[in-house]
Amino acid sequence: MESSFVVTAPGKVILFGEHAAVYDKPAIAVAIGLRSYLRVAALPESRTVHLKFPDIGLDHAWDIDALPWTRVPGRPDGGLSSTNTLDAALFEAVRPHAEAVSADLPEDKRKVHVRSATAFLYLFLLLASKHGPGSVYTLRSAVPIGAGLGSSASVCVCWSAALLLQNEAIAPPDPSQSLEKAKAHAELISSWAFVAELCIHGDPSGVDNAVSAGGGAVLYQRNGDGPPSISPISSLPTLPIWLVDTKTCRSTAAQVSKVRLGYDEKTELLLGRIERCTRRALKLFVSADFRGSGKTDALQRLGSLISENHELLVALGVSHPRLDGIVGLVDGAGIGWTKLTGAGGGGCAIVLLRPHIEDEARHELRSRLAAQGYGLHETVLGASGVGILARSGVEKGLDGDDMATTFAGDGVHGAAQQLASLEKEN
């Protein structure tokens, strides 16, 4: 692998099935065009590993030789096969080194840095070599943090891919690579990203890292006490959306608890109707013509399901006045269909755009959203998964329509504005 390269991975939205998924019903999660980017630069003369994450103010370097290498478990197969569990001894050994970061910050901010550092160092010890050169890992992200958009999974997928590439456990994506090998590499990246998510969240579902690594969309369903089912939806088209941020903090745990505490016959009825929305959407993706002459009709049918799902979530009591305000503005402008995504109570809303919208209508709605303090991201559903950014994109500062070659063998256009400063960061 080259001494300097950039990996990139997308965030995600829940398109259908929020809250119902908690009760073993299916949900559809989709990769979005907002991405995280990780630039890796080897330092041949250095014995330090340096993690930079300017978006959250994290900047720390560790002496490679001082890390707890003696706690790294042996690899029976001599390789880096997939895993889905934490090694408790190694996790505890990593924590003091992670605790060294950002000592001057308030505790609520510092704990975010410590969790990030713990996940990174845990992966580094398992996937890197004690005798390898030092490196700088500079991370930038266009995925809003704490908005239910899979920002941490996007970051963990970038770390996983970069370390596996550096250790030559996987090869860079190549058009000549077989589909089976490409899929196996994406799954390996996802499995190690899941381990990093365990370090951060304790009990992640696994859906965020699966979507970020593989791209496109997946059908997710819990199976009681067993592992969840996560199945790719290969028929989902790439669709333009607006992602509108309420700028209102929310707690997923609090929203889930709210539904559970108020669970009654009405709740059960609403969750059943949400499940039917999800299954109708899945059937629509398989049968409708989103790319040809039937596109307008297909979008109308999908949009109606999106609106219906939102109304059911409102009835469930998990919306928020700021989310309902977005629905009102979009409906008034007539440019698309809207629903909250994730736990609700704040966070973000998705707007599926109608075809052939007048520029004036777009501009007017942008202005109204901005005037009311909303954040707006114009992006796509069905984005590609983890990939490596072309050298030309790195050299020109990613100021344009850059291309990444993904492990799934296709391409992804568009780079985060924040990544333009990566060369300066290193």
Side-chain angles (χ1 to χ4, degrees):
M1 192 63 203
E2 294 181 1
S3 61
S4 178
F5 60 95
V6 174
V7 294
T8 172
K12 71 92 178 65
V13 294
I14 302 296
L15 188 58
F16 291 98
E18 295 94 334
H19 287 282
V22 176
Y23 299 90
D24 296 351
K25 301 182 186 299
I28 295 174
V30 187
I32 56 175
L34 303 181
R35 308 179 71 87
S36 294
Y37 297 82
L38 177 69
R39 182 171 190 261
V40 181
L43 303 173
E45 307 301 321
S46 173
R47 294 297 300 156
T48 62
V49 54
H50 195 165
L51 177 61
K52 297 183 178 183
F53 194 172
D55 299 311
I56 64 172
L58 174 57
D59 189 330
H60 196 88
W62 293 269
D63 180 347
I64 292 175
D65 297 315
L67 294 175
W69 293 98
T70 58
R71 295 298 186 92
V72 176
R75 297 164 181 156
D77 60 357
L80 298 172
S81 57
S82 62
T83 183
N84 59 6
T85 59
L86 281 180
D87 182 274
L90 179 59
F91 181 73
E92 289 302 318
V94 163
R95 290 179 65 179
H97 298 270
E99 289 280 354
V101 306
S102 309
D104 57 332
L105 287 183
E107 189 57 29
D108 61 330
K109 293 184 178 179
R110 198 178 82 87
K111 70 179 182 181
V112 176
H113 290 199
V114 171
R115 288 174 182 170
S116 297
T118 301
F120 172 74
L121 288 175
Y122 187 92
L123 284 188
F124 182 81
L125 284 162
L126 284 169
L127 300 183
S129 169
K130 177 182 179 180
H131 306 292
S135 294
V136 180
Y137 300 86
T138 304
L139 182 71
R140 302 308 300 261
S141 184
V143 185
I145 296 172
L149 302 177
S151 59
S152 67
S154 174
V155 167
C156 291
V157 167
C158 284
W159 285 337
S160 171
L163 290 166
L164 288 167
L165 284 164
Q166 278 190 303
N167 201 49
E168 299 184 347
I170 59 175
D174 189 302
S176 64
Q177 194 176 63
S178 71
L179 184 60
E180 290 76 14
K181 178 171 279 191
K183 181 180 178 182
H185 284 175
E187 289 176 349
L188 183 61
I189 292 168
S190 178
S191 73
W192 284 105
F194 177 75
V195 170
E197 283 274 87
L198 285 172
C199 294
I200 296 172
H201 298 296
D203 186 26
S205 68
V207 66
D208 288 10
N209 52 278
V211 174
S212 186
V218 302
L219 184 71
Y220 167 83
Q221 188 165 10
R222 292 173 59 169
N223 296 310
D225 295 331
S229 168
I230 302 175
S231 307
I233 303 172
S234 59
S235 53
L236 181 80
T238 301
L239 299 171
I241 62 165
W242 282 7
L243 195 62
V244 186
D245 191 346
T246 63
K247 303 293 183 73
T248 301
C249 296
R250 91 285 183 274
S251 164
T252 297
Q255 291 294 101
V256 170
S257 178
K258 179 181 178 181
V259 174
R260 180 173 286 116
L261 290 173
Y263 197 98
D264 56 16
E265 290 183 4
K266 178 185 175 183
T267 305
E268 188 169 351
L269 176 65
L270 290 170
L271 294 177
R273 291 178 63 186
I274 290 173
E275 178 181 9
R276 287 194 288 276
C277 272
T278 302
R279 295 195 182 282
R280 286 159 59 196
L282 184 62
K283 184 177 180 180
L284 182 65
F285 291 140
V286 173
S287 63
D289 177 13
F290 281 95
R291 296 178 175 87
S293 58
K295 180 178 179 178
T296 299
D297 176 68
L299 284 173
Q300 177 69 52
R301 292 163 63 192
L302 179 59
S304 296
L305 288 173
I306 284 174
S307 296
E308 180 181 344
N309 197 163
H310 180 75
E311 290 168 4
L312 292 168
L313 291 166
V314 171
L316 198 60
V318 296
S319 190
H320 185 277
R322 292 280 289 170
L323 289 164
D324 297 335
I326 297 169
V327 175
L329 288 171
V330 174
D331 286 352
I335 75 162
W337 303 270
T338 311
K339 69 175 286 290
L340 66 84
T341 180
C348 293
I350 306 166
V351 181
L352 176 67
L353 298 174
R354 297 180 184 272
H356 314 304
I357 303 169
E358 296 290 338
D359 288 344
E360 184 178 347
R362 289 174 182 263
H363 177 73
E364 184 175 347
L365 183 54
R366 287 191 196 101
S367 298
R368 289 184 177 181
L369 290 167
Q372 295 191 27
Y374 292 107
L376 176 62
H377 305 274
E378 300 186 39
T379 184
V380 296
L381 290 175
S384 296
V386 61
I388 299 180
L389 203 69
R391 174 180 288 276
S392 60
V394 179
E395 290 173 347
K396 70 181 183 181
L398 303 176
D399 233 358
D401 192 20
D402 305 299
M403 176 66 77
T405 304
T406 72
F407 286 89
D410 53 1
V412 55
H413 290 274
Q417 293 178 353
Q418 293 96 323
L419 192 57
S421 63
L422 276 176
E423 294 292 336
K424 298 177 183 177
E425 297 291 345
N426 285 304

